[in-house]
Amino acid sequence: MCSLALFPAPLPDGQTTLCESNNELLSGSDGHDEVVFFLQELSPLSLFFPRESLKLHSRTESSSRAAFLDHSETLWMRSAAAWRDSGLTGLLTEITNSHTEVPKCLSVSSGCTLALLQWVSSFHGSLFPHLTLSSEDMIAEFSQVLNWSDCVVRAFAWHPHTDKFAVALLDDSIKIYNPKSATTPTLKHRLQRSVAAVQWKPLCASALAVACQNCVLVWHVDPCSLSTRPSSGCAQVLSHPGHSPVTSIAWSPSGSLLASASPMDTAVMVWDVAAESCVPLQRVGGGGVTFLSWSPDGSHVLAPTPSALFRVWETRMWTCERWPCVKGRCQSGCWSPDGSRLLFTVQGETVIYALTFTDSILYTPSVTGFHISYFFCVDLSSSVGGEIQSLAWDPRGERLAVLLKGDPQAADRPAIIAVFKTRTNPVFELLPCGFVQGEADAEPRLMQFHPSFQHGALLTVCWSSGRITHVPFYFLSAGVPHFGLSGSPLLPRPQERCSALANQSLFTEMIS
Amino acid sequence: MFSTQQSCWFIRKVICWRAAASIAWAVLLLPPVTAVFVILSRFSLLHPIHTISECFSLLTSAGAIFSLILLCGVILMVGFLNLEYYTVIPTIACSKIALLGQLLHPRQFVNSSAHCIMGIIVAWCCAVTIGGRYETIGYPCTHSDGSTHMCLNEYHLILLLAGAFVGFSHSLLGVIHNMNFVSFHTVQQYKYLRFKGSLPLVVKCSATQALYSVRNYVVVYFFLGYIPKAWICKTLNLHLNSSIHPLDSIAGLLDLSLLYHLWISATFLLFTWYITLLLFRIFVTEVYNFPVQSSFTEEAHQCLPKVLTDKEPMILKFLALQDLALLSQHSPSRRCEVFSLSQPGGHPHNWNAISRECLSLLADLTQRLVAYHDTVATNGRAKSLSTGSERKTSSETSVTSGTEDLMSPRPTLMMKTPASVFARSIVGGPQSPLTAPFTPDLDSPFASPSLRRLTAPVEQCSPWHGTVQSPHVMRRVPKLWSTSTDSQANGSPPPSPASVASPQQQTSKPSLLAQFLQNRKEQVKHFLAKRVLIMYLFNKLPEASSQALFADSQAHIWALEGISYLIQASFSEDQFGVVQTALPSILSCMLVLQEAVDRHFKLPHASSKPLRSASSMGDPTYKTLRFALRATLKTAIYRITTTFGDHLNAVQMSAEHRKRLQQFVEYKD
């Protein structure tokens, strides 16, 4: 059991992490000429969205009602509008409030029903406290993004196969950047509000799924099109009553299915996007689903709930295994590239847990259970950082980035990204790598690894200042065969490996 | 029909047992459902305890058990009808008249009358269990002159007729919503979980459907209720009690308790039937594991490569394709059997059979799409049927110019390929313009078994096969038919229609008489087109022809998935390189299909999304199959390109296909 104390000390304020080369994290002030050449390649991908440049919604839809003159409608009209806007409770409230126009018994009975409903919902809310949150607060609470409601960049997604990415901004628009094309399409839709997550469909050039407040949108953005504002006709709307707000979405790696989750809905929705039909996977308990992560081999889906319980679904026959946590809810999780290991973190603890799955890909229709052989933890409590916000594992399984929340009370403990070196073969190992830091006063909010970076791993970080930067980790991958060595002169030579760091293993799996 | 199906081992050994199991479960579920119905129908708010004890005593009485047995008989009958009428390819009516034809079909008439009778039986059971004023059809009443007679109990009658009406409308709606269509789910779940997940939907559907049916029934009874009443009175020698209100009046029908009982009985009836249907669908679509190869010769006909090529029954073919898609995705050990070589001989028979069948399915769809596109001009109207040679060429050029902006020089080439000539010769053939609306399209799934191949798979060394491979045809083949010289060595390619088409080309010389008849037909058509009702009945429904074209596309989707996953797996698992030899033909087949699908989606109405029906037991998945096919096709091509990457440069294919493939490699499509 080791901790962040083994890490090299964080950089002093004002220095930014540039990249990893020769097993060292290089910072901005060091001046490494050979690195700069490669970093220039990435510079067109770096973006900056100043907060002032975004036109924000000044008021929400419900508050805009106050701006209009009140005019009297008939009771029927008002009731119908209330039913449409907010369902049964709205209707009952409307009837109760207009007691001068309706018969006394009706208004009294609707008042009683309303009180009963409120009592039931408050009872339900006392079981699952998150149900009392407003939908914006709920997204902020369960999002993988640190401090979501204040974020300029609310969601980010690399395309799984090419160098393009989508950025969801505070003003509910999504921009698509492609270094090979001059146009940056901006996606706007009436229903695209409070974007919590975006993800590109694998094995497809154009489809982008967006988790919105009331629905899931699937945009079809033609990569060859020159239009900068695709019409809302290019978006498919996938909605299901009771399934809002959507806080997380996940495409299956084969691109055939899309799963969506909402903390208000106990069911995980599995969408057949082409048919716009869904299969709700309902299980009792937990009170909702906060996050979804599909394993890269497509065999499992992690689905944490707002209570101290998470599920791991097996995608062959869609059965699930319950995993109760001791302390809090599962905050984040990520899968190893072969889908055999799941790392996850629990709210209120500074520990990374791991689950190991075996026999996950055998297709035997009668047996779909899976065996978990291992359970261990790495404790990260130290003088830096705080609770863990999210985890990201690079597609080769060699770097693990951990976004630490920091302590809002203590000024010297800001949010920070700690990066581990990992090895999955022959035994699972964690080694310290270093901290990734940005400019002064900029907090990391969101991070993602590039899915197909040639020379190692590329970590994209969205900062609180509205800047998006890319930190490459140049290394020679152990597991992947190398085709063109000449293209990557920065590859570390094994004999130069910094032995002092390499020996400080944080964790090594014991072979039992 | 049933006798021909009986001959198949699969129907006998699997489907019948599955249907029997589903019916057994439906029968087992009947008592609890009936108990709930009894409680709901007799519940009174004022005496809740009393009602429940009364219900229990009622449920154990002899009458209740008798009606339960009757209901079991009805469930058995419904289950049998489900088995007899189910289909995996929906029948899509392309015009109002075709729908009318389906509704008036004798087979449908048998179905409707069976449902009517079963509705009456269920309603009688409901009347007996609800009891009270509904219980008997006659009751003794005293006339004004003091004499006692048996009088007609109209409450009993109205319930029985409601049962008949709901049964009849259920059967009609079944045709309109394609309720006998069994769809396969993309998400595999255990039967119990699937049943549990669909149960709320079934409750909602039956309640809403019962509400609509009862509303319609009440209106019908209000206007026409006196006819059955008089008839029953006459045949059973009953009298009408003049002292109480007749029910076919506004006052009589505005009885809330009566309406509630009608609704709850209709809900009960529909719920039991829907449950039977749901269980049947769940059981029938369950995955079946076919062995890839067997060491016993007597089981050889049950192996996957053999079963895939069977044309009948369709359910067998669908389940085989589903199994292929799943094994290629999830089962390394079974994939290994697919890639294995025969012993002795060393031929990849399994792979050859599977890939040939998948390719012929895809080629069949391509051909269908091309033929459809040829008959429909780009503005969506049916092209005028021309017989004169000069008109033919003019229409040809007009189509070419219409599509020129969509495609590169390909269409001009394609117009001259034998397939399009073949298609046109069919159009110019026996199909008269008036019968056109009856059939969806010339190459519809119903006109012929949809997955038909023009000829059976030929022997590798047959002389006929040799003629197809003549250089004359070969020059054109890569444009439409993905055969190549090397594919001959490792399995015969999908039979090309080229050789079949070319003789017909000469025979379609128009005679003077034919031209005269054609003109007459045109005149009649123009005359009829001016009549509004005729136009209403004969006009094609906008989306329907597109839906009909893709009605069986679930098979193509599985074929695409299966073959693309197999190719993906072959990158690391195929030890003998059996897949590589077929890769060029598979890729070009997919690219040709992709082009045909793209062209189809540029037609009007093809890309418009169907309205989502709120709640109906009919499965609307067939309406979106074309979108699913398009998405699956793209994903399949991307799966191959991402797996092989730059290695695809070594694959032999035409320059145009290479260009097309390059777009996929660069993720630009």
Side-chain angles (χ1 to χ4, degrees):
Chain A
M1 186 83 57
C2 285
S3 71
L4 291 182
L6 284 175
F7 269 58
L11 296 169
D13 253 9
Q15 293 206 353
T16 54
T17 313
L18 282 183
C19 69
E20 185 204 290
S21 173
N22 289 334
N23 263 333
E24 272 181 285
L25 282 182
L26 306 179
S27 66
S29 62
D30 292 359
H32 302 272
D33 294 338
E34 76 274 27
V35 178
V36 169
F37 170 74
F38 268 87
L39 291 181
Q40 272 168 358
E41 222 175 65
L42 294 169
S43 59
L45 293 174
S46 299
L47 297 171
F48 181 45
F49 300 102
R51 191 174 292 263
E52 300 76 38
S53 69
L54 300 175
K55 221 193 299 178
L56 301 181
H57 300 298
S58 51
R59 47 179 84 236
T60 59
E61 203 161 287
S62 57
S63 65
S64 68
R65 186 172 294 176
F68 294 94
L69 282 180
D70 195 32
H71 81 287
S72 53
E73 289 171 316
T74 60
L75 179 67
W76 275 113
M77 298 282 282
R78 273 182 289 140
S79 305
W83 170 260
R84 201 180 53 237
D85 286 348
S86 42
L88 183 63
T89 42
L91 179 68
L92 291 174
T93 318
E94 187 63 50
I95 292 174
T96 319
N97 290 344
S98 52
H99 47 82
T100 50
E101 295 168 63
V102 293
K104 193 167 181 348
C105 59
L106 190 61
S107 71
V108 167
S109 63
S110 66
C112 290
T113 323
L114 195 63
L116 193 71
L117 277 180
Q118 275 163 356
W119 184 77
V120 168
S121 75
S122 70
F123 175 69
H124 195 203
S126 68
L127 286 179
F128 299 110
H130 71 275
L131 294 178
T132 54
L133 296 173
S134 76
S135 64
E136 291 256 335
D137 291 343
M138 200 182 289
I139 297 173
E141 170 78 20
F142 297 116
S143 170
Q144 293 295 298
V145 184
L146 180 60
N147 208 349
W148 176 85
S149 45
D150 182 43
C151 251
V152 178
V153 177
R154 290 192 145 174
F156 179 92
W158 279 106
H159 190 275
H161 310 283
T162 56
D163 269 345
K164 69 178 171 186
F165 56 86
V167 181
L169 298 173
L170 188 57
D171 61 351
D172 292 339
S173 68
I174 292 178
K175 287 187 195 301
I176 295 171
Y177 289 92
N178 188 349
K180 285 183 197 147
S181 123
T183 51
T184 48
T186 307
L187 312 178
K188 285 188 181 177
H189 195 280
R190 186 171 50 85
L191 295 169
Q192 188 170 290
R193 279 180 287 150
S194 312
V195 176
V198 291
Q199 198 176 14
W200 291 93
K201 179 180 175 178
L203 298 178
C204 182
S206 57
L208 175 74
V210 182
C212 308
Q213 194 167 34
N214 293 318
C215 62
V216 177
L217 289 176
V218 180
W219 285 94
H220 294 270
V221 191
D222 186 359
C224 300
S225 161
L226 294 173
S227 144
T228 52
R229 278 292 300 272
S231 76
S232 49
C234 300
Q236 278 178 286
V237 182
L238 309 175
S239 65
H240 192 266
H243 194 69
S244 71
V246 181
T247 54
S248 187
I249 44 176
W251 284 99
S252 70
S254 63
S256 53
L257 298 172
L258 173 71
S260 71
S262 162
M264 292 291 276
D265 193 354
T266 51
V268 178
M269 294 290 162
V270 181
W271 296 92
D272 182 353
V273 174
E276 297 187 10
S277 64
C278 71
V279 177
L281 301 171
Q282 193 94 40
R283 289 292 185 276
V284 183
V289 181
T290 57
F291 172 65
L292 288 173
S293 171
W294 212 302
S295 72
D297 67 336
S299 59
H300 294 101
V301 180
L302 167 72
T305 67
S307 45
L309 166 80
F310 70 95
R311 295 195 178 85
V312 180
W313 289 88
E314 162 278 324
T315 60
R316 178 70 196 86
M317 292 304 276
W318 290 101
T319 51
C320 71
E321 192 125 310
R322 285 164 60 101
W323 286 89
C325 306
V326 182
K327 220 168 172 184
R329 65 184 170 85
C330 172
Q331 163 66 29
S332 179
C334 63
W335 293 88
S336 67
D338 59 350
S340 64
R341 266 188 197 83
L342 166 67
L343 301 185
F344 67 94
T345 64
V346 171
Q347 201 186 34
E349 287 184 71
T350 52
V351 174
I352 301 175
Y353 294 94
L355 285 178
T356 307
F357 296 86
T358 50
D359 290 337
S360 55
I361 47 171
L362 278 185
Y363 168 38
T364 41
S366 52
V367 184
T368 52
F370 36 90
H371 317 290
I372 284 85
S373 67
Y374 229 85
F375 209 72
F376 83 101
C377 52
V378 177
D379 199 339
L380 296 181
S381 52
S382 75
S383 58
V384 210
E387 277 185 34
I388 299 166
Q389 175 71 22
S390 66
L391 299 172
W393 209 338
D394 96 275
R396 300 182 192 209
E398 308 236 353
R399 294 291 180 276
L400 173 74
V402 180
L403 176 54
L404 300 167
K405 247 181 208 169
D407 195 347
Q409 269 80 42
D412 58 334
R413 298 183 71 169
I416 199 166
I417 296 176
V419 180
F420 295 83
K421 290 175 197 165
T422 56
R423 199 183 299 163
T424 47
N425 264 330
V427 287
F428 182 51
E429 267 188 316
L430 277 180
L431 307 162
C433 183
F435 294 104
V436 172
Q437 280 168 290
E439 297 166 324
D441 305 329
E443 261 190 343
R445 288 287 164 83
L446 167 61
M447 57 177 191
Q448 195 179 32
F449 274 107
H450 189 290
S452 54
F453 187 61
Q454 296 285 320
H455 315 296
L458 179 68
L459 182 69
T460 303
V461 187
C462 306
W463 303 91
S464 56
S465 55
R467 203 174 278 283
I468 298 176
T469 61
H470 307 274
V471 183
F473 296 81
Y474 295 110
F475 58 84
L476 189 66
S477 179
V480 185
H482 312 287
F483 296 111
L485 285 180
S486 56
S488 50
L490 283 176
L491 294 169
R493 285 166 290 274
Q495 63 268 28
E496 284 185 16
R497 172 175 279 210
C498 178
S499 59
L501 272 178
N503 291 337
Q504 292 173 345
S505 172
L506 282 179
F507 169 79
T508 309
E509 185 183 49
M510 306 302 287
I511 302 174
S512 50
Chain B
M1 173 175 178
F2 199 66
S3 59
T4 56
Q5 281 190 355
Q6 277 291 4
S7 60
C8 178
W9 64 273
F10 191 73
I11 298 289
R12 243 181 308 121
K13 282 191 183 163
V14 181
I15 297 295
C16 280
W17 283 110
R18 288 184 170 188
S22 75
I23 295 172
W25 275 108
V27 167
L28 280 181
L29 282 174
L30 194 59
V33 175
T34 316
V36 171
F37 166 70
V38 167
I39 291 170
L40 283 180
S41 64
R42 299 172 72 116
F43 196 77
S44 76
L45 269 180
L46 301 176
H47 313 284
I49 313 269
H50 179 68
T51 341
I52 288 172
S53 64
E54 207 179 55
C55 288
F56 273 110
S57 63
L58 178 80
L59 281 172
T60 47
S61 68
I65 289 172
F66 176 66
S67 58
L68 207 59
I69 291 169
L70 269 183
L71 286 174
C72 288
V74 169
I75 293 292
L76 286 177
M77 190 63 199
V78 170
F80 177 74
L81 286 176
N82 284 341
L83 175 63
E84 184 66 357
Y85 280 81
Y86 85 96
T87 171
V88 287
I89 301 172
T91 331
I92 294 158
C94 285
S95 60
K96 293 271 191 299
I97 193 78
L99 189 62
L100 208 63
Q102 279 180 21
L103 291 176
L104 299 177
H105 195 274
R107 207 171 128 81
Q108 176 56 30
F109 179 74
V110 171
N111 190 358
S112 298
S113 44
H115 276 99
C116 256
I117 294 165
M118 290 189 300
I120 292 176
I121 295 171
V122 176
W124 184 82
C125 296
C126 289
V128 170
T129 40
I130 295 172
R133 56 185 181 173
Y134 301 98
E135 198 153 3
T136 54
I137 191 148
Y139 63 98
C141 57
T142 49
H143 261 265
S144 47
D145 55 355
S147 58
T148 53
H149 296 278
M150 284 305 277
C151 283
L152 175 71
N153 181 5
E154 208 178 342
Y155 288 102
H156 188 80
L157 180 70
I158 199 171
L159 204 58
L160 290 192
L161 289 176
F165 184 86
V166 173
F168 184 69
S169 61
H170 167 78
S171 147
L172 288 193
L173 284 175
V175 174
I176 294 168
H177 293 311
N178 263 320
M179 231 179 265
N180 60 345
F181 165 58
V182 174
S183 76
F184 292 80
H185 279 252
T186 41
V187 175
Q188 301 294 324
Q189 276 182 290
Y190 285 113
K191 292 194 288 274
Y192 166 68
L193 293 172
R194 178 168 292 175
F195 177 75
K196 205 178 79 175
S198 324
L199 204 56
L201 182 74
V202 172
V203 173
K204 202 177 126 199
C205 280
S206 47
T208 47
Q209 192 51 52
L211 202 63
Y212 288 126
S213 296
V214 165
R215 180 197 65 186
N216 298 344
Y217 171 68
V218 163
V219 172
V220 170
Y221 191 80
F222 178 72
F223 288 109
L224 302 174
Y226 65 94
I227 302 172
K229 208 157 70 174
W231 184 72
I232 290 277
C233 283
K234 213 171 133 197
T235 45
L236 294 182
N237 201 13
L238 295 171
H239 296 265
L240 281 178
N241 194 346
S242 49
S243 62
I244 56 169
H245 270 296
L247 279 183
D248 53 344
S249 62
I250 292 179
L253 285 174
L254 275 182
D255 180 352
L256 272 186
S257 141
L258 174 70
L259 290 180
Y260 172 72
H261 281 128
L262 284 180
W263 174 72
I264 196 99
S265 308
T267 309
F268 171 69
L269 179 150
L270 287 178
F271 183 72
T272 50
W273 293 2
Y274 283 165
I275 282 284
T276 319
L277 181 65
L278 174 73
L279 283 167
F280 178 77
R281 282 183 187 166
I282 290 174
F283 272 82
V284 157
T285 57
E286 201 195 351
V287 178
Y288 186 85
N289 264 299
F290 295 90
V292 176
Q293 57 186 11
S294 166
S295 33
F296 304 105
T297 41
E298 60 264 30
E299 284 176 15
H301 69 286
Q302 301 183 5
C303 290
L304 192 61
K306 178 74 190 62
V307 158
L308 274 177
T309 54
D310 285 350
K311 275 178 239 167
E312 283 293 323
M314 280 323 283
I315 182 82
L316 174 59
K317 184 163 192 116
F318 271 60
L319 283 171
L321 282 165
Q322 186 186 30
D323 189 39
L324 173 70
L326 288 174
L327 89 85
S328 65
Q329 210 170 338
H330 296 291
S331 167
S333 56
R334 295 178 73 202
R335 278 200 300 258
C336 186
E337 286 181 61
V338 172
F339 297 140
S340 68
L341 299 182
S342 67
Q343 197 69 253
H347 294 290
H349 287 310
N350 293 334
W351 162 253
N352 280 351
I354 287 172
S355 66
R356 189 196 310 142
E357 181 55 31
C358 290
L359 283 188
S360 81
L361 274 176
L362 299 182
D364 179 70
L365 182 66
T366 314
Q367 186 206 8
R368 217 190 290 165
L369 288 176
V370 169
Y372 177 78
H373 202 269
D374 282 354
T375 53
V376 177
T378 35
N379 57 4
R381 278 181 291 118
K383 210 164 58 182
S384 64
L385 306 166
S386 53
T387 46
S389 56
E390 66 274 15
R391 283 181 65 189
K392 194 173 192 169
T393 49
S394 71
S395 70
E396 206 171 82
T397 48
S398 74
V399 171
T400 312
S401 58
T403 48
E404 236 163 20
D405 52 336
L406 309 177
M407 295 286 143
S408 40
R410 256 194 58 94
T412 30
L413 289 174
M414 201 147 68
M415 288 303 153
K416 294 192 173 57
T417 54
S420 56
V421 176
F422 174 51
R424 192 162 293 121
S425 69
I426 291 181
V427 176
Q431 206 170 30
S432 74
L434 259 185
T435 52
F438 286 102
T439 53
D441 281 295
L442 66 134
D443 207 352
S444 77
F446 337 101
S448 55
S450 57
L451 301 167
R452 79 197 164 91
R453 281 155 303 282
L454 285 162
T455 46
V458 283
E459 297 298 315
Q460 283 188 12
C461 304
S462 75
W464 184 84
H465 193 71
T467 58
V468 179
Q469 300 292 340
S470 71
H472 175 65
V473 181
M474 278 308 298
R475 206 181 62 238
R476 301 163 172 185
V477 148
K479 291 168 204 143
L480 260 184
W481 303 107
S482 49
T483 46
S484 56
T485 34
D486 57 344
S487 69
Q488 191 190 3
N490 56 75
S492 57
S496 158
S499 61
V500 188
S502 26
Q504 290 193 2
Q505 199 182 358
Q506 279 101 47
T507 57
S508 64
K509 278 262 160 65
S511 68
L512 208 64
L513 183 69
Q515 209 156 11
F516 173 75
L517 282 177
Q518 185 68 39
N519 288 343
R520 281 277 137 203
K521 263 184 216 158
E522 292 285 317
Q523 281 175 3
V524 170
K525 195 179 151 195
H526 278 295
F527 172 75
L528 288 176
K530 288 179 189 135
R531 303 293 175 274
V532 176
L533 179 69
I534 304 268
M535 280 315 287
Y536 172 76
L537 286 176
F538 283 83
N539 252 353
K540 288 212 167 198
L541 300 173
E543 255 182 73
S545 51
S546 200
Q547 282 175 16
L549 210 55
F550 287 93
D552 61 339
S553 280
Q554 187 64 60
H556 303 116
I557 290 172
W558 282 324
L560 280 168
E561 281 187 354
I563 209 142
S564 66
Y565 276 114
L566 280 177
I567 291 175
Q568 187 184 29
S570 77
F571 191 69
S572 54
E573 293 176 16
D574 179 14
Q575 297 171 2
F576 309 108
V578 296
V579 172
Q580 283 178 29
T581 48
L583 197 56
S585 58
I586 290 172
L587 272 175
S588 54
C589 182
M590 283 183 178
L591 288 172
V592 170
L593 179 59
Q594 157 78 17
E595 196 165 320
V597 168
D598 268 359
R599 275 215 302 169
H600 181 82
F601 271 91
K602 283 177 180 145
L603 294 176
H605 299 301
S607 53
S608 55
K609 293 263 172 192
L611 288 175
R612 276 208 264 174
S613 54
S615 61
S616 145
M617 272 303 280
D619 206 324
T621 43
Y622 64 88
K623 292 180 182 163
T624 50
L625 271 178
R626 58 181 186 281
F627 301 104
L629 180 93
R630 183 173 61 166
T632 315
L633 179 59
K634 272 198 178 172
T635 308
I637 298 177
Y638 274 123
R639 187 169 292 135
I640 297 173
T641 54
T642 33
T643 312
F644 285 85
D646 292 336
H647 301 292
L648 283 177
N649 291 330
V651 176
Q652 282 190 343
M653 60 172 75
S654 67
E656 195 181 329
H657 283 167
R658 184 167 302 286
K659 213 173 92 191
R660 195 104 182 79
L661 202 62
Q662 194 56 36
Q663 289 202 317
F664 280 93
V665 173
E666 288 166 5
Y667 283 91
K668 285 216 172 129
D669 201 83

